[in-house]
Every structure is written in structure tokens, then in C-alpha cells.
């Protein structure tokens, strides 16, 4: 989805997605639970949704950009089935947090640069990442994004965070967009 979207960004071309991937973040964020039947009905009906586009190092992205914890979690999930229980997500998150390395990062906002080494840094344009609703307030076409940076995160807090996300008990609300 990302490669096709990158190639047509800014053009009048439209495309449809079939939720046949591992996490289906794009589909989940725009339509709901993965369903090829629902996707085909939306595509044949000509339904369209505009989506925001971000850029990192000149490369467009359409769902989320993440450093640290989330890419490590996605890699851990690539070799197993997704957990079905909050406690299992919590255990997995604690293990992944202990395996995630912090990397120094210069975060520039307007004319200020902040030097940070986050364990978790996500920029969300849409609501889902690794199949979970990490950014419920991230709307597809509102020209806004949600940034989650947790400099002081450790295994226990990320474990609770992922469990709460799985159970749809959000830690943040849509009144705040930079954490």
C-alpha cells in the first residue's frame, strides 16, 4: 500500500486496498476490521477517502513513522501470531522494551532542535500501528498528526501502555497532540 501510495501522491489517481496483509493498519484506520468483502464493496461503489501524507527524509508515509519500540515490536510480531489477550501483549511489550536500543535523535520543531534518546517515538497520521489503535485521535484527512515521544519509558510503563492500547483504554485524548 505504501509503495503504491508513494508513487501516486499528488496525482488524481485513486486506488483501493484489499486487507490481505499482516496488520492492515491502513485499512483498519480508514474502514475498520479487515474484510476483503467490505473492501471490494467500497472499491466497486467508488467510495474514496482522502488521507494525510507526511515526509521523513524526503520519503512520503501515510500511516505512521516510528523509531525504537514500535519497529522492534513489529519485528517481534513478524515471527509469531498476534497476542489475543491484554496480558500476553503486556508480556511481549515488556520483553521488546528490554530489547529496544535507544538512539540519539535531534528533533526539530520550527527553529528549535531538541536532543533526545527516546525508547518510543511515533508520528501517527492514522490511528493504527502493528494492528493496534495506538493513535485514536489521528484522523485520516484533518492535516494534523499525533506524536508520541516517551523519553523516560521503561519496560513496565511500555508493558502497561500496550496492554491499555489493546484493551482500548487510551492514555491520551484528542485534546493533546504532542506528548
Amino acid at each position: 500500500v505504501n509503495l503504491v501510495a508513494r508513487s501516486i501522491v499528488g496525482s488524481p489517481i485513486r486506488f483501493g486496498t484489499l486487507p490481505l496483509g499482516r496488520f492492515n493498519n491502513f485499512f483498519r484506520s480508514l474502514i475498520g476490521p479487515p474484510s476483503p468483502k467490505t473492501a471490494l464493496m467500497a472499491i466497486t461503489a467508488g467510495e474514496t477517502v482522502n488521507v494525510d501524507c507526511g515526509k521523513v527524509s524526503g520519503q512520503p508515509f501515510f500511516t505512521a513513522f516510528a523509531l525504537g519500540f514500535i519497529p522492534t515490536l513489529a519485528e517481534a510480531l513478524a515471527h509469531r501470531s498476534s497476542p489475543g489477550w491484554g496480558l500476553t501483549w503486556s508480556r511481549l511489550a515488556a520483553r521488546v522494551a528490554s530489547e529496544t536500543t535507544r538512539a540519539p535523535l535531534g528533533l526539530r520543531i520550527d527553529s528549535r532542535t531538541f536532543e533526545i534518546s527516546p525508547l518510543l517515538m511515533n508520528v501517527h497520521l492514522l490511528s493504527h500501528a502493528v494492528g493496534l489503535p495506538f493513535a485514536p485521535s489521528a484522523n485520516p484527512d484533518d492535516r494534523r498528526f499525533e506524536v508520541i515521544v516517551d523519553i523516560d519509558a521503561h519496560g513496565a510503563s511500555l508493558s502497561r501502555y500496550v496492554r491499555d492500547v489493546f484493551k482500548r483504554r487510551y492514555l491520551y485524548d484528542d485534546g493533546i497532540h504532542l506528548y
Side-chain angles (χ1 to χ4, degrees):
V1 170
N2 193 46
L3 290 174
V4 172
R6 280 182 181 187
S7 68
I8 65 171
V9 70
S11 78
I13 298 172
R14 298 174 185 187
F15 76 99
T17 62
L18 292 175
L20 302 173
R22 169 83 166 131
F23 299 120
N24 300 301
N25 295 317
F26 197 78
F27 193 89
R28 285 178 193 275
S29 295
L30 297 176
I31 297 173
S35 164
K37 182 179 179 181
T38 301
L40 287 172
M41 289 178 5
I43 291 168
T44 56
E47 295 176 21
T48 61
V49 176
N50 291 324
V51 295
D52 292 331
C53 173
K55 282 189 177 183
V56 173
S57 298
Q59 293 296 315
F61 71 94
F62 303 91
T63 55
F65 170 77
L67 297 172
F69 178 74
I70 296 298
T72 308
L73 179 61
E75 188 175 314
L77 287 169
H79 307 293
R80 60 166 290 167
S81 60
S82 295
W85 300 92
L87 184 59
T88 311
W89 274 105
S90 183
R91 287 183 186 144
L92 177 63
R95 181 180 59 80
V96 167
S98 70
E99 296 170 358
T100 302
T101 56
R102 296 175 186 258
L105 171 70
L107 177 63
R108 185 173 180 181
I109 300 174
D110 293 329
S111 63
R112 292 196 50 136
T113 300
F114 303 90
E115 297 297 326
I116 60 174
S117 294
L119 187 60
L120 168 75
M121 172 150 180
N122 300 341
V123 176
H124 294 277
L125 301 177
L126 296 176
S127 61
H128 284 71
V130 292
L132 292 173
F134 271 98
S137 63
N139 296 318
D141 66 347
D142 63 355
R143 304 187 76 163
R144 297 170 76 183
F145 59 92
E146 184 171 272
V147 177
I148 301 170
V149 179
D150 192 345
I151 316 169
D152 299 322
H154 50 80
S157 66
L158 286 175
S159 173
R160 183 173 41 253
Y161 173 66
V162 170
R163 183 180 64 238
D164 286 346
V165 166
F166 173 77
K167 292 183 172 186
R168 298 185 180 272
R169 292 187 208 145
Y170 304 117
L171 300 180
Y172 312 114
D173 65 22
D174 61 2
I176 301 172
H177 293 278
L178 179 62
Y179 309 109

